[in-house]
Amino acid sequence: MEGKMRRDTLVSVIIPTYNRAHLVTDALDSVYEQTYCLIECIVVDDGSTDDTVEVVKVWKRAHSGDDFCARLLRQENHGAPVARNHGMEAARGDFLLFLDSDDVLPRNAINTLRQTIIKEGVDAAYGDVLRVRKNGQNERQRQRPSSSSDVVNMQKGAPTTSSAMIRQDAIQGRGWREELSCAQEFAFFLDLSLRGVRFAYEPTVVLKKHEDPDQDSISGQDDVDYPLTISQILIDVESEIRSLSAPENMQYDRGLVHFAGILHRKGHRDKAKDLFRRAHRRRALKSALQNWCSSVFLPALLTPRWSAKVYNLFEKYTCRT
């Protein structure tokens, strides 16, 4: 019975969109063409002013005779986090994947992530990203974690939103922070890791992400707003981080010092001083050295499997307060 239930698990793909009439059907096609078939696709239009809604309706009519569930939800323009939460409330799937409307999934992406979650016995899984550039110089972004601690990994850099699948019951009570205009995935995945959500990494490309600097975005990112937002997120979770062990605290202190430096250079000296006062500078230095070891020195000498093992031993015996 358990094996049958696992084979027949419904996956909800939630696509928030804003003014993506010329791209959203590519995202929809990539979901429709998945090798795994038990999928519902929920498009949440965030008050588009172009033809996005009509384009989605036409796509739905063209696929109305197929055994494929696609729904269109509409809301006023409130931003990506609100749209994702809206779609999540309507989702019926056991697993959720939040797909940006200008991204596409390789044909086996959903099955790969779902199988990884089941095989590893975790709550979420993510993989690598192929960044597709207009000049044709595509690049694979490897999101391999360097620590055995999910909280450490999410502080270093959350996986790209569309590259992760999550059990719906692992998210309950902790959705996307709707007040954020940027750094949304950083806050979302860090919040989940602090709740004990367990992640697994699959070294396979599970997302093709188009990069177009001239395209309107549902969630903007400014070169000043981003470090300010990250800094506030770090302050928000300070008490939770401080209750954890040395590796999590070391990475936290390193993050505080890093963003204090950025904000100081951008003229936000009071905010930078506040971050710097919160940091344990000795731990931050240790963390920086450890990160250099894991991301530069060890991979240059060893295979990924053995560099990860050596890193974990280094973390165990040297990362103590």
Side-chain angles (χ1 to χ4, degrees):
M1 178 65 71
E2 183 180 1
K4 182 178 181 180
M5 179 186 69
R6 287 180 173 176
R7 285 195 300 273
D8 297 336
T9 300
L10 178 66
V11 176
S12 296
V13 179
I14 299 166
I15 306 178
T17 186
Y18 175 74
N19 288 352
R20 293 283 172 80
H22 64 300
L23 288 174
V24 67
T25 55
D26 290 341
L28 285 165
D29 287 341
S30 76
V31 177
Y32 177 78
E33 294 168 0
Q34 289 296 299
T35 57
Y36 186 76
C37 297
L38 198 56
I39 299 171
E40 67 166 358
C41 187
I42 303 172
V43 179
V44 184
D45 181 74
D46 188 45
S48 293
T49 58
D50 65 355
D51 296 327
T52 297
V53 169
E54 186 58 35
V55 166
V56 173
K57 287 180 178 179
V58 170
W59 189 94
K60 283 184 61 186
R61 286 196 294 269
H63 297 80
S64 59
D66 302 333
D67 188 18
F68 182 80
C69 176
R71 290 186 280 161
L72 172 63
L73 307 179
R74 301 179 69 180
Q75 65 179 41
E76 294 182 2
N77 182 232
H78 293 303
V82 177
R84 293 185 186 114
N85 285 338
H86 189 180
M88 188 165 59
E89 290 171 1
R92 298 176 297 220
D94 299 282
F95 292 156
L96 304 179
L97 190 149
F98 299 93
L99 179 65
D100 288 346
S101 57
D102 58 341
D103 296 340
V104 296
L105 299 171
R107 291 192 72 242
N108 203 40
I110 286 178
N111 189 53
T112 296
L113 292 171
R114 176 181 162 276
Q115 290 290 349
T116 299
I117 292 174
I118 292 172
K119 181 178 69 175
E120 300 296 333
V122 294
D123 305 303
Y126 59 95
D128 292 340
V129 179
L130 181 65
R131 296 197 171 271
V132 181
R133 299 192 170 94
K134 296 179 72 173
N135 60 12
Q137 296 180 353
N138 301 338
E139 181 182 359
R140 179 171 177 171
Q141 176 188 347
R142 299 183 187 274
Q143 302 192 112
R144 180 170 67 90
S146 59
S147 173
S148 57
S149 166
D150 288 322
V151 175
V152 170
N153 294 326
M154 297 308 133
Q155 288 184 83
K156 286 185 174 182
T160 301
T161 298
S162 306
S163 69
M165 180 182 290
I166 313 158
R167 291 186 185 272
Q168 174 150 218
D169 57 9
I171 305 179
Q172 289 180 358
R174 197 72 179 237
W176 295 80
R177 296 197 195 184
E178 297 184 354
E179 74 278 8
L180 299 181
S181 61
C182 61
Q184 299 149 10
E185 60 195 11
F186 177 83
F188 180 67
F189 290 112
L190 179 57
D191 286 344
L192 290 180
S193 68
L194 287 168
R195 286 189 61 197
V197 170
R198 298 162 299 158
F199 292 81
Y201 165 70
E202 170 60 40
T204 303
V205 172
V206 297
L207 177 69
K208 295 179 181 179
K209 188 167 187 66
H210 293 277
E211 296 190 345
D212 185 353
D214 300 323
Q215 177 63 42
D216 289 338
S217 174
I218 191 173
S219 54
Q221 178 170 316
D222 181 87
D223 63 346
V224 174
D225 285 346
Y226 188 79
L228 282 171
T229 302
I230 291 284
S231 300
Q232 188 56 54
I233 293 168
L234 291 175
I235 291 172
D236 290 344
V237 300
E238 182 174 21
S239 61
E240 295 176 84
I241 296 287
R242 293 308 187 198
S243 68
L244 300 177
S245 59
E248 291 81 8
N249 274 273
M250 288 176 64
Q251 182 58 40
Y252 181 73
D253 290 318
R254 181 168 179 258
L256 291 176
V257 172
H258 174 73
F259 283 101
I262 292 176
L263 293 177
H264 187 273
R265 290 192 296 274
K266 292 182 178 295
H268 294 271
R269 290 181 172 81
D270 290 341
K271 190 71 171 181
K273 288 178 182 178
D274 180 38
L275 294 180
F276 201 66
R277 281 195 299 265
R278 294 171 185 269
H280 187 297
R281 266 85 76 186
R282 183 178 176 185
R283 278 201 301 251
L285 178 59
K286 277 189 177 181
S287 181
L289 291 172
Q290 179 184 4
N291 184 70
W292 180 84
C293 245
S294 65
S295 62
V296 179
F297 181 68
L298 290 177
L301 297 178
L302 304 170
T303 64
R305 177 184 176 188
W306 281 103
S307 67
K309 287 185 176 182
V310 174
Y311 174 87
N312 288 335
L313 288 173
F314 183 83
E315 177 183 70
K316 180 178 179 182
Y317 290 109
T318 69
C319 299
R320 297 174 181 173
T321 54

